[in-house]
């Protein structure tokens, strides 16, 4: 009999992280796998002793990349692979991979590293970014979820104060796709196949995230949307992915981001499709 751990972050207080883990645990149990929920801190990353505990596989829902690597180094198959979690965790890093694979996306510039106590405000760098991308523009921190660290910059004052505030932080500048204001598509992919998709739109915000006030409904994807979502997941090597797609000027799809630990509750509620079952089916095929 197979056994698995479903790892999630134990420091976050919101119920949705545990809820997500429970969905996976239940799917594993339905498939006859003995499943256990694990908060990340419940696994001691003790490097001085042999690590004896050994589930058949781990579904890793956290961004504790070091723990994912620790488990992998101890010979345990981790889904997604820690390298994929790491690539996707930092949006700048992820856009590097997407761009390398020629994935259509908004024009993106990765901000240079600026140490927190220093500035390049007088260098002319920011003026070049402004004149290239224009306003409004998107600024996105490398690390962020639920739309919380994505900013719509409408004025030069906002621009300069944001870049000043972000000294010491990884972030990117991005073309604002006006034709996609307040709307996007979430596509859940498992092992290169589309399992579920939803259209998200917000009347109150440029961000379509549900956590941010967006509402969602079922959508029939176009062939172009399907193909791009699959290519994007593949570009970052993700076996499980939640791909966000934007609507370009002529409705052509553009990749907004790829989530390596996409939440599956909302898409379950909206579409009735439990992505967890597809994930477990995929894993059981892979580890045979
Ligand atoms: N370049 C862009 N143009 C227009 N809207 C965008 C752009 N980038 C992000 N958005 C909107 O902001 C939301 C959050 O951005 P995203 O990159 O997915 O970050 P998060 O990880 O916080 O979800 C997207 O779902 C989309 O609605
Ligand atoms: Mg997103």
């Amino acid at each position: 009999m197979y056994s698995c751990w479903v790892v999630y972050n134990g420091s976050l207080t919101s119920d949705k992280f545990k809820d997500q883990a429970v969905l996976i645990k239940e799917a594993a149990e339905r498939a006859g796998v003995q499943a256990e929920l694990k908060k990340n801190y419940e696994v001691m990353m003790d490097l001085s002793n042999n690590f004896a505990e050994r589930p058949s596989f781990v579904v890793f829902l956290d961004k504790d990349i070091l723990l994912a690597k620790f488990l992998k180094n101890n010979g345990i198959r981790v889904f997604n692979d820690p390298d994929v979690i790491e690539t996707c965790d930092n949006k700048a890093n992820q856009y590097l991979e997407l761009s390398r694979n020629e994935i259509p996306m908004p024009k993106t510039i990765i901000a240079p590293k600026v140490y927190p106590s220093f500035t390049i405000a007088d260098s002319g760098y920011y003026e070049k970014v402004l004149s290239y991308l224009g306003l409004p523009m998107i600024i996105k921190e490398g690390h962020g979820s639920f739309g919380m660290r994505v900013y719509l910059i409408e004025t030069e004052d906002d621009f300069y104060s944001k870049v000043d505030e972000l000294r010491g932080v990884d972030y990117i500048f991005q073309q604002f796709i006006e034709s996609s204001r307040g709307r996007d598509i979430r596509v859940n992919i498992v092992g290169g196949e589309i399992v579920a998709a939803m259209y998200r739109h917000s009347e109150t915000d440029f961000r379509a995230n549900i956590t941010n006030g967006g509402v969602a409904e079922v959508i029939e994807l176009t062939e172009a949307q399907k193909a791009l979502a699959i290519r994007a997941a593949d570009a970052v090597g993700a076996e499980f992915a939640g791909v966000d797609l934007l609507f370009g000027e002529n409705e052509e799809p553009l990749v907004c981001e790829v989530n390596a630990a996409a939440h599956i509750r909302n898409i379950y509620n909206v579409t009735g499709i439990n992505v967890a079952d597809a994930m477990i089916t995929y894993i059981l095929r892979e580890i045979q």
Side-chain angles (χ1 to χ4, degrees), residues 240-254:
F240 306 152
V243 180
D244 292 346
L245 296 178
L246 299 171
F247 298 88
E249 221 169 287
N250 302 306
E251 296 291 287
E252 78 281 10
L254 297 169

Side-chain angles (χ1 to χ4, degrees), residues 105-107 136 138 174-182 246-249 254:
M105 61 189 201
K107 282 187 207 156
I138 293 283
Q174 195 168 67
Q175 174 191 14
F176 175 55
I177 306 299
E178 181 67 58
S179 44
S180 202
R181 184 188 281 267
L246 299 171
F247 298 88
E249 221 169 287
L254 297 169

Side-chain angles (χ1 to χ4, degrees), residues 186 200 209 244 256-257 259:
R186 163 57 62 84
R200 306 185 292 192
N209 303 69
D244 292 346
C256 176
E257 66 154 344
N259 296 279

Side-chain angles (χ1 to χ4, degrees), residues 62-267:
D62 194 19
K63 295 184 173 180
D64 190 337
I65 295 157
L66 295 171
L67 175 58
K69 286 186 182 174
F70 173 83
L71 294 169
K72 184 181 178 183
N73 287 354
N74 279 288
I76 301 168
R77 183 79 157 87
V78 180
F79 295 88
N80 275 309
D81 187 88
D83 292 342
V84 174
I85 299 172
E86 189 164 36
T87 301
C88 292
D89 181 48
N90 182 335
K91 287 190 170 70
N93 223 345
Q94 164 183 149
Y95 286 123
L96 279 173
E97 280 311 299
L98 294 175
S99 150
R100 197 154 71 106
N101 286 278
E102 296 174 359
I103 301 294
M105 61 189 201
K107 282 187 207 156
T108 301
I109 296 174
I110 297 176
K113 187 179 188 75
V114 174
Y115 289 96
S117 328
F118 297 88
T119 178
I120 57 165
D122 298 329
S123 67
Y125 175 83
Y126 296 118
E127 287 68 26
K128 281 191 222 160
V129 173
L130 263 178
S131 80
Y132 179 60
L133 291 179
L135 293 173
M137 176 198 307
I138 293 283
I139 286 184
K140 244 179 236 193
E141 294 187 36
H143 301 276
S145 307
F146 311 116
M148 280 183 319
R149 292 174 194 274
V150 177
Y151 314 103
L152 180 60
I153 305 295
E154 312 219 49
T155 66
E156 289 198 6
D157 281 354
D158 289 352
F159 175 81
Y160 286 110
S161 64
K162 187 53 82 184
V163 298
D164 188 54
E165 182 189 316
L166 293 180
R167 281 178 296 155
V169 174
D170 285 340
Y171 69 97
I172 56 127
F173 305 98
Q174 195 168 67
Q175 174 191 14
F176 175 55
I177 306 299
E178 181 67 58
S179 44
S180 202
R181 184 188 281 267
R183 62 192 190 115
D184 73 359
I185 295 174
R186 163 57 62 84
V187 186
N188 278 77
I189 293 174
V190 173
E193 282 175 23
I194 293 173
V195 175
M198 63 182 168
Y199 172 60
R200 306 185 292 192
H201 55 104
S202 172
E203 304 311 315
T204 53
D205 200 287
F206 73 96
R207 292 161 293 190
N209 303 69
I210 294 175
T211 311
N212 217 59
V215 290
E217 56 198 74
V218 176
I219 186 176
E220 187 67 39
L221 298 177
T222 66
E223 289 308 312
Q225 288 161 343
K226 285 183 196 167
L228 182 57
I230 291 170
R231 270 184 66 203
D234 195 46
V236 297
E239 295 168 286
F240 306 152
V243 180
D244 292 346
L245 296 178
L246 299 171
F247 298 88
E249 221 169 287
N250 302 306
E251 296 291 287
E252 78 281 10
L254 297 169
V255 172
C256 176
E257 66 154 344
V258 182
N259 296 279
H263 281 237
I264 55 175
R265 168 60 71 186
N266 286 328
I267 205 149

Side-chain angles (χ1 to χ4, degrees), residues 8-14 17 38-42 62 64:
Y8 67 105
N9 194 284
S11 72
L12 299 169
T13 48
S14 162
F17 299 95
K38 282 263 188 212
K39 296 183 174 125
N40 62 325
Y41 61 74
E42 289 172 340
D62 194 19
D64 190 337

